[in-house]
Amino acid sequence: MLLNIIGRSFLNQKKSMALMTASIAVGTALVASLITVSLDVAAKVSKELRSFGANILVEPKVEGLADISGHKRYLRSEDIAKLKAIFWRHNIVGIAPFLKSDAVLSAGGKEGGVTLAGAWYEKEIPLPGEAGNFTAGIKTVYSWWEIKGRWPQGKDEIIAGVSAATQYSISPGDSILLDGRRVTVSGTLETGGPEDGWMFMDLAPLQEVKGLDGKVSRVLVSALTTPMDDFAYKDPESMSISEYEKWYCTGYVTSIAKQAEEVFEGSSARPIWQVAATEGKVLEKISLLIYLLCASALAASAIGVSTTMIMSLLRRVEEIALMKALGADRWRIITLFLAEGILIGIAGGLFGYLFSIGVSEYIGLKVFDSGLQQRAVLLPIAIGSAIVISAAGTVLPIRRALSIRPGIILKGAR
Amino acid sequence: MKRRWFLYFFKRSLSQRKGRVAIASLAVVLAVSIITSMISITSGVREKLGSELKAYGSNIIVSPGRGSSFPFETAEAIRRIDDVEYAVGQVFTTARLGKESIEIIGLDIAKLREAGWRVSGEWPQKEGEVLAGANLKAALKIKPDEIVSLEGGRGRTDFRVSGFVERGGAEDNAVIMPMASAWRLAGVNGVLNAVLVRGRAGGLDNLVSEIKRGLPEVSVKTFRQVASAEESLLSKMQLLMSLVTIVVLFAAAISVASTMGANILERREEIGLMKAIGATGSGIRIFYLAEALLVGFIGGTAGFILGVASAQAVSRGAFGSFIPAQWYLPLASLIIGLVISAGASYFPVRDVLKYNPAVILREE
Amino acid sequence: MPLITVNSIIKEYETAHALRGVSMEVKKGEWVNIMGASGSGKSTLLNIIGGLDSATSGDVIIDSVNIEKLSEDELAVFRREKIGIIFQQAHLIPYLTAVENVMIAQYFHSMADESEAKEALQRVGLGQRLSHRPSQLSGGEQQRICIARALINSPELLLADEPTGNLDRENTKMILELLKKLHSEDHFTIVLVTHDHFVSTHGDRILTMEDGHIIRDEPVNDLRS
Ligand SMILES: Nc1ncnc2c1ncn2[C@@H]1O[C@H](COP(=O)(O)OP(=O)(O)OP(=O)(O)O)[C@@H](O)[C@H]1O
Ligand SMILES: [Mg+2]
């Protein structure tokens, strides 16, 4: 009987029910999509930030003063792949080894010394102990590098930094002599940093030419990290064993650096703090910002839904009074309207959740070029909170209707 | 005269339906306040987040065009340009430590502290105290407060290493000291070898050409890594906020529409009756529009205040500082309040007016 | 030239035929009573004459204007200038007092005039209830506000759907006296729906409806005799 009445009531109040359901659906959609965004924004922005350059630098360990000035110290390039075997291997999104050497450049009638760096531009290397490859090289670390001209192809093409290019009047397409070997400049690079004065060529041929097979002078690593907190800034040396374990197993830039250091023989790995420190701060701010927005949207939409519910039910005060006049007891009336509220909550929550998938997906694609992670957990949460809000919205009007003697209302009092 | 009676009935309708007017106003207040606060945050997010990115360091490097140095005043001149957040002069020199030559960077140490650098040990306090890079620490195997003896152009000077810095850059191999000490060590005075500039993200190209115009002698370079990082991050964040604002706007409008719609649904009989006793459609529309505009006005005003307050609260929470006020915000809030409230009641009224009064009156 | 000419009106609802071809004429200054069983289509006919509802087909010509062809706004003007209507249920604006409920009709017509509105309420015996709201009044009292409201703009045509349905004999008589006075002195044209044979003895003609048709049209005198 109750179900029957509710069904009738829905049909009878199509517009009003539609309004309430729409209001709840939109409120839920807003909140659910904001939650989806806020849960994922840190990960997305963190990925985004990773394209701005490496946050870990691996270099040969400094043993004495002499090691600082010269660059005759090397890491083994066979250790590079091992980075993909450490605990945080999945967080390592970019690896770029460099071999720095001096070379004699002659071009445009001029001759002089330049820094010649061997590098991978984009190289597939097999994953250790697993099937498949991963991509390493400059493009995975400095995705913002813009080459005027094009990236080199084959071992006879090189990139010239702009300062060097200007100094020797080189433009893309030119042919120059490096250490007496003829190579073609496929493009020029401008970073505003020291790289502007360098030349870049493929790593392997340079190793061969210089007799430095299997050697690199530094490796830049780009890793997704957990923002540094106070604990992370503690000196690992002074940590207790359990603290050290916790630190080691958290994806702080320092602990990932530590693990990178363990992988490379005779190395010292350090966070590039300019990047790493900012990243944590920015992430923290952005997440906080979105959380706060989420909270205020939640509050606003909860109240907004309640106002709709109240407004919609106030017009049915008369109906409640009539039921009361016909002998319905409080509980029957409360159950009827609560049940209605719950049904509306379920429908609104469900639509709202579905709607939120579209909205957050769109936001993700638009802003981060990839969809956001949709969480099925949000469905019960969405429906649950929609039910609570819509049931809460029925309380005030029902109380009002129940507290008034039916006679007065039936005569048209509002 | 007609107007007087209009106002009379209008006031009666409001004063006898206070509860409902309050609920409708509440809905509009909330809608406007959340939209206002979103607009306010969206317009401020660039700047706020931009200043968080300060720690990324300088995004423009000014170096001598000819020769190897320029006068100290150059930094001063750059600092005066708009959109320059900071400009720090640096002196580069080398000194011998034992047999090896090492890099010396002279700068204003206080600026490093502001930029959020971390040192292990102490910041230099007194004359003759310096910071050493992490690699030097490893190479020399020294501890804080040890003395290093550096030999520059003017002979040998002893410095106390008060702390160490680890940056993952060239600084790790260098000794960092106050500018005056570096000058003394190098035997020069009042010169700089580079000025590191931080320009407000978004206007870097303009800033570069402005510096070039003012100082034709120098070479100005954008540090692409920082510049492109910031630009892309900030525009992403702004896009994100704008999209969220649109979603919020939409949701808030629906919420108001359903509240006002429910209100009009309740008054169908009244509208049908007015029509039956000879009110014209426009007369009825104006009557309900007036109420909606009043609700919109209350909602717009209160929503503005609440919205700005919550935007400031959010900004304080997230960035620790307030968002500067936008001149257009009060106007925008008011217009949003009026438009969504009027729109939300106009359409349901129009819907009721479509029916014959007999149909509406029979419903009750 | 009759004031009202109704020409083969049909009114269909999705589920029912309320009027199945009704034609009738009412002369200016005539008082016509409509009687008939519940559900026979009386209210529907009255609503269509008053321009509150539109017919599925057929014409309603009032004062040589076919109101079925009027636009919304012209219809509004028609209603407020020509028609006074009393509904079967008392439709009143809940948040306005008795006087204000009358005044709002004046306001839509031309100009609200409080003293005139009070006078109208006094005439229907509500002089003591001027500032009560509808919920504070009895059903009969509410109905009398509707009568006062219908009369306030001196319409040419008064349409009344069971105006005395909620009233006792005393008050019914009072209302009938009032209508009679308006009818004889001011030459109001009255179309009145009623179930009450006492009421139908007043006026000039009685139309009897059954199942959407007018089945009888007879003068009042005949019935009385
Ligand atoms: N909106 C509607 N939809 C369907 N049928 C309707 C609708 N309105 C009225 N009817 C039907 O039209 C017929 C005529 O209704 P109407 O109100 O004119 O009757 P009536 O003669 O005034 O009856 P009463 O004396 O009980 O007031 C009835 O059978 C009624 O059920
Ligand atoms: Mg009827």
Side-chain angles (χ1 to χ4, degrees):
Chain A
M1 187 57 198
L2 181 69
L3 281 179
N4 212 336
I5 296 178
I6 294 173
R8 284 292 159 72
S9 151
F10 265 92
L11 289 178
N12 203 11
Q13 313 256 342
K14 259 184 258 150
K15 283 203 173 105
S16 156
M17 294 292 165
L19 280 182
M20 288 191 268
T21 314
S23 167
I24 290 184
V26 169
T28 312
L30 171 66
V31 172
S33 51
L34 271 181
I35 290 177
T36 307
V37 169
S38 68
L39 288 180
D40 224 19
V41 75
K44 290 282 180 206
V45 171
S46 166
K47 274 225 179 73
E48 212 48 58
L49 288 168
R50 290 305 347 110
S51 62
F52 305 153
N55 49 1
I56 296 172
L57 169 68
V58 189
E59 280 186 321
K61 199 175 175 71
V62 173
E63 303 285 0
L65 258 191
D67 295 342
I68 287 180
S69 38
H71 42 244
K72 301 277 182 290
R73 300 166 302 128
Y74 304 103
L75 299 169
R76 304 189 316 188
S77 50
E78 65 198 77
D79 292 334
I80 293 173
K82 294 185 197 156
L83 276 173
K84 288 304 258 185
I86 64 169
F87 183 76
W88 287 105
R89 58 186 171 278
H90 297 300
N91 284 34
I92 297 201
V93 294
I95 303 174
F98 289 91
L99 173 61
K100 268 164 81 179
S101 70
D102 296 319
V104 177
L105 165 71
S106 54
K110 283 183 253 181
E111 196 172 274
V114 290
T115 300
L116 176 59
W120 291 341
Y121 307 121
E122 194 170 25
K123 188 178 162 80
E124 297 286 316
I125 49 180
L127 284 167
E130 269 178 71
N133 289 334
F134 76 96
T135 314
I138 289 176
K139 289 184 186 175
T140 63
V141 167
Y142 293 129
S143 61
W144 51 273
W145 270 23
E146 265 179 48
I147 306 291
K148 207 182 271 167
R150 56 174 175 76
W151 287 88
Q153 280 157 3
K155 55 181 187 168
D156 292 329
E157 293 192 339
I158 63 149
I159 301 173
V162 276
S163 328
T166 321
Q167 196 183 340
Y168 292 92
S169 327
I170 304 170
S171 41
D174 288 358
S175 170
I176 58 168
L177 282 176
L178 263 181
D179 283 341
R181 234 161 51 90
R182 184 150 296 280
V183 292
T184 308
V185 177
S186 70
T188 57
L189 166 74
E190 181 172 0
T191 67
E195 299 88 352
D196 286 359
W198 299 359
M199 301 271 161
F200 291 87
M201 67 179 286
D202 204 14
L203 181 62
L206 184 67
Q207 286 174 331
E208 199 185 309
V209 170
K210 296 284 177 186
L212 292 170
D213 277 337
K215 296 206 162 80
V216 294
S217 28
R218 52 160 56 172
V219 177
L220 290 172
V221 180
S222 176
L224 298 173
T225 61
T226 307
M228 295 288 285
D229 48 29
D230 285 342
F231 171 69
Y233 278 117
K234 271 180 89 166
D235 183 4
E237 311 269 291
S238 67
M239 285 181 187
S240 69
I241 293 187
S242 65
E243 275 180 331
Y244 185 83
E245 221 151 72
K246 181 184 161 206
W247 171 78
Y248 193 85
C249 295
T250 310
Y252 297 124
V253 66
T254 46
S255 48
I256 297 181
K258 174 79 183 160
Q259 292 169 28
E261 189 173 292
E262 289 166 357
V263 159
F264 284 96
E265 213 180 76
S267 74
S268 121
R270 285 191 308 272
I272 300 176
W273 281 111
Q274 185 182 8
V275 176
T278 315
E279 210 168 289
K281 241 182 173 171
V282 169
L283 279 184
E284 194 185 307
K285 298 288 160 173
I286 291 175
S287 312
L288 195 57
L289 176 67
I290 302 281
Y291 287 141
L292 288 174
L293 285 179
C294 209
S296 61
L298 189 79
S301 76
I303 302 182
V305 168
S306 302
T307 57
T308 308
M309 295 292 295
I310 292 173
M311 216 41 133
S312 295
L313 287 180
L314 277 179
R315 63 186 285 258
R316 298 178 63 192
V317 164
E318 217 172 282
E319 186 182 331
I320 300 176
L322 180 61
M323 289 183 178
K324 223 173 146 183
L326 295 178
D329 58 57
R330 297 174 73 82
W331 288 114
R332 212 164 291 198
I333 294 172
I334 291 172
T335 347
L336 176 67
F337 281 82
L338 267 185
E340 231 176 76
I342 289 171
L343 272 184
I344 292 174
I346 293 174
L350 184 66
F351 284 128
Y353 174 74
L354 295 177
F355 207 44
S356 83
I357 293 181
V359 170
S360 56
E361 200 66 14
Y362 176 78
I363 291 179
L365 285 176
K366 199 86 189 157
V367 179
F368 301 110
D369 301 320
S370 64
L372 299 177
Q373 190 192 340
Q374 298 299 338
R375 287 155 218 263
V377 211
L378 277 184
L379 178 62
I381 295 179
I383 291 180
S385 48
I387 290 174
V388 170
I389 291 173
S390 92
T394 60
V395 169
L396 193 82
I398 294 181
R399 272 189 42 172
R400 199 181 121 83
L402 289 178
S403 68
I404 292 176
R405 269 165 289 122
I408 295 177
I409 296 174
L410 289 178
K411 275 164 73 183
R414 300 267 155 127
Chain B
M1 203 48 194
K2 192 92 179 162
R3 190 171 313 141
R4 191 176 81 106
W5 286 106
F6 174 78
L7 285 177
Y8 178 84
F9 287 116
F10 182 55
K11 267 190 242 153
R12 288 295 287 165
S13 149
L14 291 181
S15 63
Q16 293 302 307
R17 297 175 50 262
K18 281 193 212 90
R20 271 146 241 250
V21 174
I23 293 171
S25 302
L26 180 63
V28 179
V29 168
L30 285 165
V32 172
S33 76
I34 179 144
I35 296 168
T36 303
S37 97
M38 287 301 306
I39 292 178
S40 170
I41 291 170
T42 303
S43 61
V45 73
R46 208 184 170 85
E47 193 169 332
K48 288 289 154 201
L49 217 49
S51 65
E52 289 304 321
L53 290 171
K54 240 180 190 161
Y56 257 133
S58 48
N59 42 24
I60 293 176
I61 298 166
V62 181
S63 46
R66 252 173 283 134
S68 61
S69 64
F70 43 48
F72 181 67
E73 288 69 32
T74 313
E76 205 48 53
I78 293 171
R79 217 166 281 144
R80 276 196 297 268
I81 301 173
D82 282 343
D83 279 352
V84 169
E85 282 180 358
Y86 64 72
V88 278
Q90 294 203 341
V91 182
F92 303 127
T93 180
T94 54
R96 299 196 77 78
L97 180 57
K99 289 200 294 295
E100 301 296 330
S101 158
I102 58 168
E103 302 276 341
I104 308 291
I105 303 175
L107 41 64
D108 185 352
I109 300 269
K111 291 266 159 54
L112 299 184
R113 265 185 114 145
E114 278 170 27
W117 283 34
R118 284 173 178 267
V119 298
S120 58
E122 295 292 320
W123 285 95
Q125 307 280 351
K126 293 195 291 283
E127 176 80 32
E129 290 189 333
V130 298
L131 293 171
N135 281 341
L136 279 180
K137 179 187 183 187
L140 295 169
K141 311 210 164 41
I142 52 174
K143 293 200 180 58
D145 276 351
E146 276 186 34
I147 305 288
V148 292
S149 186
L150 296 173
E151 195 181 333
R154 285 278 171 85
R156 180 181 298 268
T157 319
D158 282 350
F159 291 96
R160 180 191 298 275
V161 178
S162 68
F164 300 94
V165 289
E166 184 191 78
R167 298 294 298 165
E171 299 90 345
D172 291 1
N173 292 337
V175 172
I176 297 166
M177 58 177 65
M179 205 157 344
S181 308
W183 282 334
R184 220 169 298 134
L185 193 64
V188 293
N189 204 359
V191 297
L192 294 174
N193 301 96
V195 179
L196 303 185
V197 181
R198 184 170 167 87
R200 215 178 296 286
L204 284 190
D205 290 342
N206 284 339
L207 185 53
V208 166
S209 44
E210 201 165 332
I211 296 174
K212 277 183 177 153
R213 213 176 318 125
L215 302 161
E217 299 285 280
V218 304
S219 121
V220 187
K221 278 190 162 185
T222 311
F223 191 36
R224 293 286 154 102
Q225 173 166 4
V226 175
S228 63
E230 287 175 358
E231 193 44 49
S232 123
L233 184 69
L234 292 184
S235 50
K236 291 236 150 113
M237 285 299 69
Q238 203 164 26
L239 179 61
L240 174 67
M241 294 297 294
S242 311
L243 289 179
V244 171
T245 304
I246 292 173
V247 174
V248 167
L249 181 76
F250 182 73
I254 297 265
S255 155
V256 171
S258 49
T259 305
M260 300 289 267
N263 184 24
I264 298 297
L265 275 182
E266 187 187 35
R267 303 178 78 180
R268 278 169 81 89
E269 180 189 355
E270 188 181 317
I271 297 173
L273 175 64
M274 287 189 182
K275 203 175 167 188
I277 61 176
T280 53
S282 58
I284 294 173
R285 271 194 286 265
I286 288 171
F287 191 78
Y288 292 91
L289 206 61
E291 181 175 312
L293 288 177
L294 182 78
V295 166
F297 180 78
I298 297 172
T301 320
F304 166 72
I305 295 167
L306 203 62
V308 168
S310 76
Q312 298 299 7
V314 167
S315 171
R316 263 208 80 92
F319 301 113
S321 59
F322 292 117
I323 295 175
Q326 278 84 36
W327 60 267
Y328 57 82
L329 210 52
L331 197 67
S333 304
L334 194 58
I335 291 176
I336 291 170
L338 292 175
V339 167
I340 57 179
S341 165
S345 78
Y346 175 81
F347 292 102
V349 169
R350 200 183 63 169
D351 179 57
V352 178
L353 287 176
K354 273 208 303 256
Y355 295 96
N356 281 317
V359 177
I360 308 278
L361 291 178
R362 238 184 233 273
E363 274 173 12
E364 299 301 316
Chain C
M1 180 81 196
L3 179 66
I4 306 173
T5 310
V6 173
N7 244 336
S8 45
I9 286 281
I10 294 177
K11 179 69 182 179
E12 288 171 356
Y13 296 107
E14 284 124 51
T15 50
H17 291 263
L19 299 176
R20 304 165 184 265
V22 171
S23 301
M24 61 177 264
E25 284 184 358
V26 177
K27 285 198 278 294
K28 201 172 167 67
E30 205 176 6
W31 174 335
V32 176
N33 294 321
I34 302 178
M35 295 190 76
S38 177
S40 57
K42 306 180 296 293
S43 298
T44 308
L45 178 61
L46 206 68
N47 283 339
I48 290 176
I49 295 174
L52 300 184
D53 208 345
S54 53
T56 311
S57 72
D59 294 320
V60 179
I61 294 152
I62 293 177
D63 226 359
S64 41
V65 177
N66 186 346
I67 62 164
E68 291 292 316
K69 301 241 152 60
L70 291 181
S71 74
E72 275 293 313
D73 278 349
E74 287 165 337
L75 211 52
V77 174
F78 161 77
R79 281 196 291 260
R80 72 178 177 224
E81 297 298 336
K82 298 256 161 77
I83 308 285
I85 192 154
I86 302 163
F87 306 100
Q88 190 165 9
Q89 287 100 4
H91 289 295
L92 291 166
I93 296 182
Y95 52 82
L96 296 181
T97 62
V99 184
E100 286 163 348
N101 262 294
V102 177
M103 278 157 60
I104 200 158
Q106 292 178 309
Y107 165 73
F108 287 131
H109 178 262
S110 51
M111 199 64 78
D113 180 336
E114 194 168 354
S115 58
E116 206 179 295
K118 279 181 178 158
E119 207 184 308
L121 284 172
Q122 262 149 13
R123 260 186 284 154
V124 294
L126 284 179
Q128 307 305 312
R129 296 277 185 277
L130 295 176
S131 48
H132 286 57
R133 265 179 282 133
S135 58
Q136 298 164 323
L137 295 172
S138 76
E141 284 165 338
Q142 290 181 20
Q143 189 68 318
R144 278 185 275 163
I145 300 177
C146 295
I147 297 172
R149 183 178 64 193
L151 297 177
I152 193 72
N153 295 320
S154 321
E156 262 174 70
L157 174 57
L158 180 66
L159 302 174
D161 198 347
E162 308 224 21
T164 56
N166 283 322
L167 303 184
D168 56 22
R169 196 33 56 102
E170 267 323 289
N171 276 307
T172 303
K173 273 184 180 155
M174 189 190 90
I175 297 297
L176 286 173
E177 283 312 309
L178 190 69
L179 292 183
K180 251 158 82 186
K181 193 161 153 257
L182 292 167
H183 179 57
S184 55
E185 287 174 13
D186 302 333
H187 307 290
F188 273 38
T189 310
I190 298 174
V191 179
L192 188 148
V193 172
T194 184
H195 281 126
D196 188 341
H197 282 282
F198 171 71
V199 174
S200 68
T201 54
H202 298 72
D204 307 317
R205 236 162 74 192
I206 297 176
L207 302 178
T208 309
M209 295 191 66
E210 195 182 291
D211 199 18
H213 296 283
I214 293 179
I215 53 160
R216 259 202 307 278
D217 181 351
E218 56 209 336
V220 167
N221 295 344
D222 291 7
L223 212 91
R224 235 183 264 166
S225 59

